[in-house]
Amino acid sequence: MHEPDRSERPYEGDVLAVTVEHWDGAKREIVERADSAAIVAVDADDRLVLVRQLREAARRELLELPAGTIDGDEDPLETAKRELREETGLRGGRWRTGPAVYSTPGFCRERMHLFLADGLSEGRSTPDSGERIEVIRWAPAEVEARLGEVEDAKTLAGMLLYLRERR
Amino acid sequence: MHEPDRSERPYEGDVLAVTVEHWDGAKREIVERADSAAIVAVDADDRLVLVRQLREAARRELLELPAGTIDGDEDPLETAKRELREETGLRGGRWRTGPAVYSTPGFCRERMHLFLADGLSEGRSTPDSGERIEVIRWAPAEVEARLGEVEDAKTLAGMLLYLRERR
């Protein structure tokens, strides 16, 4: 079993914390953060659904897969369905479970659960107050053409999964 | 221009820090971490080269693209070549620049620069003392079969890029 010899918690914030672990003489600084769910969502016209929003860490708006943080012991699939509905209004449809991956395992404990959804029905979005989200829909040719512009790791993986299923 | 109203630095560690930014009343906790480079490396037999190592944050060994942290103002391509050589011994070859992506733009400033390399020459690896790295090589059929097992976001994107070029 892999366990540290000892650990401390030098930072405890609202949505993240830092643990310092000591492993056989080596020090590791690890970010604690809730797990997340992200969706490769395909609408009735076979277009990939993306969201554009301000990402303060990046100092600009980024285009990303719809995604969000898992609340407590919420089932990741329920998180995915809730976030997709809130951000885009899309609901219903057929859902499949994709890989669950560490986003940056070198220094962070967060795992991201990927889901693939199609046959979705249109509805009204209900973003959190203060969230300003623009919904974008791209057909396969557009996803193909814009692959080099993507600025987010999960979105790169999601665009490649979307294209792979359309071939 | 997108800038916070004010910010604090409640945690300053050896390899990461936490900044708290205030944006028009909203508080954002942001992890500062050096940018990184990762390589979709293909050997002379057209196999994808991966590395397996203990990831303390995950409490187990993970299979990943060769990758590492950019030292100061090192050029990302030089980081990529250096890390690939250190971890696998592979050198030379043809290099192309892939997308540069935020690994987790919701809370972290780190950008990851992806590179694609093939035609690589074999050599001796020189891992850092304390790094225990196993090098794995998978042919296209194996990458295809094991896509569902991958546990790291950059490696999922890298495996999909590798397969896409082999079709």
Side-chain angles (χ1 to χ4, degrees):
Chain A
M1 188 56 190
H2 297 293
E3 291 288 347
D5 303 321
R6 59 189 176 85
S7 67
E8 300 119 39
R9 170 70 48 90
Y11 175 74
E12 181 82 56
D14 294 342
V15 301
L16 59 88
V18 177
T19 305
V20 173
E21 295 184 348
H22 300 270
W23 289 76
D24 198 19
K27 177 180 166 185
R28 294 284 179 266
E29 295 172 87
I30 296 171
V31 174
E32 310 283 354
R33 163 88 187 179
D35 288 349
S36 63
I39 310 102
V40 181
V42 178
D43 74 7
D45 296 323
D46 203 33
R47 293 175 301 182
L48 179 65
V49 180
L50 298 166
V51 293
R52 193 193 305 275
Q53 64 187 310
L54 174 63
R55 287 305 204 171
E56 288 86 354
R59 295 276 191 273
R60 62 175 181 274
E61 294 189 339
L62 294 182
L63 191 68
E64 296 171 64
L65 297 185
T69 299
I70 296 173
D71 284 344
D73 59 2
E74 187 180 34
D75 182 72
L77 175 59
E78 289 313 307
T79 305
K81 290 182 174 179
R82 176 175 58 72
E83 290 285 349
L84 184 66
R85 200 169 53 235
E86 288 172 6
E87 295 187 350
T88 71
L90 291 163
R91 58 199 72 207
R94 290 176 299 274
W95 287 74
R96 282 172 295 148
T97 300
V101 292
Y102 288 93
S103 46
T104 50
F107 66 93
C108 181
R109 207 99 73 190
E110 184 203 23
R111 279 187 104 190
M112 187 183 59
H113 298 259
L114 273 169
F115 294 93
L116 298 96
D118 62 12
L120 295 158
S121 307
E122 301 292 331
R124 188 198 300 221
S125 65
T126 54
D128 291 348
S129 66
E131 268 190 321
R132 286 212 310 237
I133 294 179
E134 182 188 1
V135 180
I136 311 270
R137 299 173 185 222
W138 281 352
E142 188 140 21
V143 174
E144 186 81 42
R146 297 199 174 198
L147 208 51
E149 291 171 30
V150 61
E151 295 188 289
D152 171 55
K154 67 178 172 302
T155 307
L156 175 61
M159 286 168 72
L160 290 165
L161 283 169
Y162 167 80
L163 288 175
R164 178 180 159 83
E165 303 221 332
R166 257 122 224 112
R167 218 172 279 109
Chain B
M1 187 59 190
H2 298 294
E3 291 288 345
D5 304 321
R6 59 189 175 85
S7 67
E8 301 119 40
R9 172 68 51 88
Y11 176 74
E12 182 80 58
D14 295 341
V15 300
L16 58 88
V18 177
T19 305
V20 173
E21 295 184 347
H22 300 270
W23 290 75
D24 198 20
K27 178 180 166 185
R28 294 284 180 267
E29 295 170 271
I30 296 172
V31 175
E32 311 284 353
R33 164 90 186 175
D35 289 350
S36 63
I39 310 103
V40 181
V42 178
D43 74 7
D45 296 324
D46 203 33
R47 294 175 302 181
L48 180 65
V49 180
L50 298 166
V51 293
R52 193 194 306 275
Q53 63 187 312
L54 173 63
R55 286 305 203 172
E56 289 85 354
R59 293 277 190 275
R60 62 175 182 275
E61 293 188 341
L62 294 182
L63 191 68
E64 295 171 65
L65 297 185
T69 300
I70 295 173
D71 285 343
D73 58 1
E74 187 179 34
D75 182 73
L77 175 59
E78 289 313 306
T79 304
K81 290 182 174 180
R82 176 176 56 73
E83 289 285 349
L84 184 66
R85 202 170 50 235
E86 287 173 7
E87 294 186 351
T88 71
L90 291 163
R91 59 197 72 205
R94 289 175 298 273
W95 289 73
R96 282 172 295 150
T97 301
V101 292
Y102 288 93
S103 45
T104 50
F107 66 95
C108 181
R109 207 99 71 190
E110 185 204 21
R111 279 187 104 191
M112 188 183 60
H113 298 259
L114 273 169
F115 294 93
L116 297 96
D118 61 13
L120 295 158
S121 308
E122 302 292 332
R124 189 198 298 221
S125 65
T126 53
D128 291 348
S129 67
E131 268 191 323
R132 286 212 310 237
I133 294 179
E134 181 188 3
V135 180
I136 312 272
R137 300 173 185 222
W138 281 352
E142 188 139 21
V143 174
E144 186 81 44
R146 298 200 174 195
L147 208 51
E149 292 170 29
V150 62
E151 294 188 290
D152 170 56
K154 68 179 172 300
T155 307
L156 175 60
M159 287 168 73
L160 290 164
L161 283 170
Y162 167 80
L163 288 176
R164 176 181 160 84
E165 303 222 332
R166 267 125 222 103
R167 220 174 276 109

